[in-house]
């Protein structure tokens, strides 16, 4: 692949004036222009926005076991064009009602006398989505895609905001990769991750002074594998398939598809500012539901003991205490984490579920994904990987009123693992059960594809704040990254917003890691981090040891939103977003920089409001709540100290 990449780069930059053919497709507003061309049998594309280059000529194509469709191709003059004007509603993404406008073009490529594949491009005002449709080759009605040539070439001088893919079968009980690596920020191109394994989606790039590009994929299900981005010299990044060692070496890395068949959508979001990156809905725009919902699912708030008390607290009395705590907070659920099968038992879980029902609370139950792909010892094991055992278990869960499950410790991104995700979701829907995934891959359009999908972790989440003081020290930095990268493309089950000062069961001083961020910061992340289902890192002691204003806010904060607007920020430094629920706006900001952040915020969404409630920190991170009189066209001045936050509530 390395030699092929060098060949592409030499070809594109030395013969760009010798295009054999060239086609363009524009966004509805005309600002985003995609050019598709074929030169000497090699297809490539180029993206400009407002006349500036955001992607240089970049390769397309693939190599399969029924033909090499990366070279020797001819592009047809016949192009299928259509305008897309669709509206849809989803309660559990960043925008509840979406109006999707795009121009679609289908370009056909042949090799010799045979049709090879079509490339379907959809271009909306700040997004490009594309996928391949591979055609049958004579009697061959199926194929294995051994390699994709699909690439993204960035202009010289662009910088990267990426998280590396880990080695397979490393980390706790050989459970990685699990999309839980640290980001590098404003790094130069020309690298391929800390261990030369590429990068996990989504991938953010700053294109000099022109703006920003976010690369990801969507529509991945049992019919393909999850992919990663492989870095090369010269600003080239290509699609990479899972590593052979994933899933304990079992299963193929190369995906197989029926013919004719489709690859997933690859998505490119382009903006002169970060606004289109934060506000994009393209992961959901181009996918469809894989099955109908068996019921109307509820997106809820809840508590869980594990984040503060760990494995030893998954016992009956502690979980009963957390049920009472959820009821006191007005929350609908409690997540009963690992080892409940042995430390509580099935009979007592039924009793616990009845007690929860009496408090108008329901249970989420934790499960190990299991199988042969890791050594994680926590139970229940050996259920979610087996259809017969899984459906029997889900029938039992339905009979006692369990609301959802959290399935942990997956083995990688191979096609067989994508099938396991889909099988769990499909079976759970039959029994009215919602699903959270942990130790897992990135969700790729799953909120729209799977009606009972709740959220995925796929991030260095709150557990690391318990495990390590280092992660507490950099909590603000990481929190100011996720709204620009990970959380832009799918629900993120972070499990945060802790109000304990110390990560231990009773908030005991000098035991466990110490939280370095403020209470206002914790509240702000409940708004900044988007997930339709949230289990917050709160504890029963917070009813007595946390400020009343903080507890009251956490009782009322929504978990589903109708709209998001980017206000200001820079990945890893600070972020200010606004989210709307109904007629009410929540403006949240945090600061990871060493100096106090002084901002003048333009908040047009608050026009017509006479006053707003304002949560703010002093220099010692002591929070308070005030009322801000709001005047027309007023700039709101805020000062956010290091590790602090700000909230304005309409």
């Amino acid at each position: 692949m390395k030699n092929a990449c060098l060949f592409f780069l030499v070809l594109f930059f030395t013969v760009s004036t010798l295009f054999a053919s060239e086609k363009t497709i524009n966004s509805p507003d005309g600002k985003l222009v995609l050019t598709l061309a074929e030169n000497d049998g090699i297809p490539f594309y180029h993206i400009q926005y407002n006349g500036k280059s955001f992607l240089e000529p970049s390769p397309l194509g693939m190599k399969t076991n029924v033909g090499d469709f990366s070279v020797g191709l001819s592009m047809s003059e016949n192009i299928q064009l259509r305008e897309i004007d669709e509206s849809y509603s989803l309660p559990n993404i960043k925008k509840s009602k979406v109006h999707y406008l795009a121009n679609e073009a289908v370009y056909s490529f042949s090799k010799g006398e045979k049709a090879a594949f079509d490339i379907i491009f959809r271009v909306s005002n700040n997004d490009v989505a594309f996928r391949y449709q591979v055609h049958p080759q004579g009697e061959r009605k199926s194929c294995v895609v051994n390699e994709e040539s699909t690439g993204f070439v960035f202009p010289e001088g662009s910088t990267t905001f990426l998280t590396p893919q880990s080695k397979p079968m490393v980390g706790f009980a050989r459970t990685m990769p699990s999309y839980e690596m640290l980001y590098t920020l404003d790094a130069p191109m020309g690298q391929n991750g800390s261990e030369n394994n590429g990068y996990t989606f989504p991938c953010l790039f700053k294109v000099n002074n022109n703006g920003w590009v976010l690369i990801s994929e969507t529509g991945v299900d049992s019919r393909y594998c999850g992919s990663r981005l492989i870095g090369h010299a010269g600003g080239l990044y290509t699609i990479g398939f899972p590593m052979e060692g994933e899933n304990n070496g079992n299963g193929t890395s190369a995906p197989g598809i029926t013919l004719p068949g489709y690859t997933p959508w690859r998505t490119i979001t382009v903006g002169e500012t970060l606004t289109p990156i934060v506000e994009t809905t393209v992961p959901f725009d181009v996918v469809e539901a894989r099955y109908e919902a068996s019921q109307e699912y509820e997106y809820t708030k809840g508590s869980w003991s594990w984040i503060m008390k760990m494995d030893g607290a998954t016992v009956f009395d502690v979980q009963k205490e957390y049920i009472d705590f959820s009821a006191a907070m007005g929350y609908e659920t409690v997540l009963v984490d690992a080892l409940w099968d042995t430390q509580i038992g099935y009979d007592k879980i039924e009793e616990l579920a009845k007690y929860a029902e009496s408090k108008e609370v329901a249970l989420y139950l934790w499960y190990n994904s299991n199988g042969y792909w890791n050594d994680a010892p926590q139970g229940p094991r050996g259920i979610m990987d087996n259809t017969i055992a899984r459906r029997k278990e889900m029938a039992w869960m339905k009979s006692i009123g369990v609301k959802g499950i959290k399935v942990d410790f997956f083995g990688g991104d191979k096609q067989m693992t994508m099938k396991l995700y889909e099988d769990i979701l499909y079976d759970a829907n039959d029994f009215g059960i919602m699903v959270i995934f942990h130790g897992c891959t990135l969700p790729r359009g799953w909120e729209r594809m799977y009606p009972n999908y709740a959220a995925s972790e796929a991030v260095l989440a709150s557990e690391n704040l318990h495990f390590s003081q280092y992660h507490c020290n950099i909590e603000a930095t990481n929190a100011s990254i996720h709204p620009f990268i990970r959380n832009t493309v799918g629900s993120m089950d972070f499990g945060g917003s802790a109000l304990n000062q110390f990560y231990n069961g009773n908030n005991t001083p000098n035991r466990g890691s110490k939280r370095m961020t403020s209470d206002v910061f914790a509240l702000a992340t409940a708004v900044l981090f988007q997930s339709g289902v949230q289990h917050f890192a709160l504890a029963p002691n917070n009813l007595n040891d946390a400020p009343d204003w903080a507890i009251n806010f956490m009782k009322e904060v929504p978990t589903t939103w109708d709209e998001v607007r980017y206000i200001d920020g820079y990945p890893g430094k600070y972020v200010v977003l606004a989210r709307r629920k109904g007629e009410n706006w929540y403006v949240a900001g945090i600061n990871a920089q060493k100096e106090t952040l002084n901002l003048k915020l333009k908040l047009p969404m608050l026009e017509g409001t006479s006053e707003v409630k304002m949560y703010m920190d002093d220099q010692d991170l002591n929070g308070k709540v005030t009322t801000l009189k709001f005047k027309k066209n007023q700039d709101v001045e805020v000062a956010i100290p290091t590790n602090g936050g700000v909230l304005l509530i309409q």
Side-chain angles (χ1 to χ4, degrees), residues 439-457:
C440 59
T441 193
L442 180 77
R444 293 161 162 91
W446 292 357
E447 288 89 339
R448 193 175 185 191
M449 294 166 64
Y450 305 117
N452 57 323
Y453 169 79
S456 295
E457 183 185 29

Side-chain angles (χ1 to χ4, degrees), residues 304-585:
W304 59 316
S305 66
W306 187 89
I307 182 60
M308 292 299 168
K309 298 191 175 187
M310 297 280 108
D311 288 348
T314 310
V315 295
F316 185 87
D317 288 344
V318 173
Q319 299 311 305
K320 189 174 179 181
E321 179 187 10
Y322 270 77
I323 290 170
D324 292 338
F325 176 52
S326 277
M329 294 293 292
Y331 291 176
E332 300 91 342
T333 60
V334 164
L335 169 61
V336 184
D337 221 288
L339 299 170
W340 62 263
D341 57 328
T342 55
Q343 295 178 177
I344 297 177
Y346 279 77
D347 289 344
K348 296 293 281 185
I349 281 289
E350 292 185 13
E351 183 180 335
L352 197 66
K354 289 180 181 178
Y355 180 76
E357 184 181 15
S358 73
K359 297 285 186 175
E360 298 185 343
V361 175
L363 304 184
Y364 271 71
L365 296 180
W366 185 96
Y367 285 85
N368 196 325
S369 76
N370 260 127
Y372 43 78
W373 42 84
N374 62 57
D375 308 318
Q378 290 89 344
R381 305 176 73 238
I383 295 173
M384 286 298 143
D385 66 315
N386 180 275
T387 303
I388 297 171
R390 180 171 64 235
R391 292 186 63 85
K392 181 180 178 181
E393 189 88 351
M394 289 175 174
W396 167 75
M397 283 189 269
K398 180 179 180 179
S399 73
I400 66 170
V402 169
K403 193 175 194 69
I405 55 176
K406 172 183 171 182
V407 189
D408 209 340
F409 301 135
F410 287 84
D413 285 338
K414 291 180 178 178
Q415 188 170 6
M416 60 187 293
T417 315
M418 297 300 122
K419 184 178 186 302
L420 178 62
Y421 286 115
E422 185 172 88
D423 288 347
I424 291 171
L425 285 158
Y426 184 73
D427 285 348
N429 181 60
D430 282 349
F431 299 96
I433 293 170
M434 301 189 74
V435 183
I436 299 170
F437 294 119
H438 262 233
C440 59
T441 193
L442 180 77
R444 293 161 162 91
W446 292 357
E447 288 89 339
R448 193 175 185 191
M449 294 166 64
Y450 305 117
N452 57 323
Y453 169 79
S456 295
E457 183 185 29
V459 70
L460 264 174
S462 61
E463 63 197 51
N464 296 282
L465 302 172
H466 184 114
F467 294 146
S468 165
Q469 185 60 47
Y470 170 75
H471 285 97
C472 284
N473 295 343
I474 63 170
E475 180 184 6
T477 299
N478 284 331
S480 62
I481 294 171
H482 303 320
F484 298 111
I485 308 177
R486 163 64 182 89
N487 214 185
T488 62
V489 299
S491 298
M492 182 179 74
D493 189 49
F494 191 85
S497 296
L499 290 175
N500 271 16
Q501 190 63 55
F502 295 90
Y503 277 86
N504 64 68
N506 298 305
N507 203 15
T508 304
N510 302 316
R511 283 188 55 200
S513 53
K514 180 181 179 182
R515 183 165 60 94
M516 307 305 292
T517 54
S518 72
D519 290 341
V520 178
F521 179 102
L523 273 52
T525 59
V527 176
L528 293 172
F529 295 170
Q530 183 270 318
S531 180
V533 172
Q534 294 264 27
H535 288 98
F536 293 116
L538 303 175
N541 53 271
N542 296 148
L543 292 171
N544 300 313
D545 61 16
D548 287 343
W549 52 262
I551 285 293
N552 290 336
F553 176 87
M554 292 305 298
K555 288 179 179 180
E556 298 168 2
V557 64
T559 62
T560 58
W561 303 97
D562 294 309
E563 189 176 354
V564 62
R565 292 192 195 176
Y566 167 70
I567 306 298
D568 200 358
Y570 195 90
K573 295 182 178 180
Y574 70 102
V575 59
V576 184
L577 301 183
R579 295 193 192 273
R580 179 176 61 84
K581 178 68 173 182
E583 296 181 354
N584 297 320
W585 283 95

Side-chain angles (χ1 to χ4, degrees), residues 184-206:
T184 56
L185 304 175
D186 260 328
M189 298 187 297
Q191 302 174 17
N192 191 35
S194 57
E195 297 175 331
N196 202 37
N197 294 319
Y199 303 96
T200 60
F201 289 123
C203 299
L204 181 65
F205 298 82
K206 187 173 187 292

Side-chain angles (χ1 to χ4, degrees), residues 121-260:
F121 281 101
R122 290 188 181 181
V123 181
S124 52
N125 284 347
N126 288 94
D127 300 294
V128 173
F130 67 94
R131 64 176 176 173
Y132 303 94
Q133 182 183 31
V134 187
H135 296 296
Q137 299 298 299
E139 297 299 318
R140 304 293 288 274
K141 299 293 192 294
S142 63
C143 79
V144 173
V145 181
N146 294 315
E147 182 181 298
E148 282 195 38
S149 305
T150 309
F152 313 86
V153 179
F154 287 89
E156 183 179 356
S158 298
T159 57
T160 70
F161 297 73
L162 305 174
T163 181
Q165 177 71 288
S166 73
K167 290 181 180 178
M169 306 302 294
V170 297
F172 172 73
R174 302 194 304 161
T175 55
M176 296 179 81
S178 51
Y179 287 62
E180 297 180 27
M181 302 284 280
L182 289 168
Y183 283 84
T184 56
L185 304 175
D186 260 328
M189 298 187 297
Q191 302 174 17
N192 191 35
S194 57
E195 297 175 331
N196 202 37
N197 294 319
Y199 303 96
T200 60
F201 289 123
C203 299
L204 181 65
F205 298 82
K206 187 173 187 292
V207 183
N208 303 314
N209 294 320
N210 291 349
W212 301 82
V213 174
L214 184 77
I215 306 291
S216 195
E217 64 179 4
T218 191
V220 180
D221 57 19
S222 60
R223 296 170 290 188
Y224 214 76
C225 64
S227 299
R228 56 196 163 119
L229 211 57
I230 305 297
H232 307 272
L236 172 66
Y237 294 82
T238 56
I239 292 293
F241 291 152
M243 294 169 281
E244 292 289 344
E246 294 179 26
N247 294 91
N248 211 2
N250 193 274
T252 63
S253 293
I257 57 176
T258 59
L259 301 180

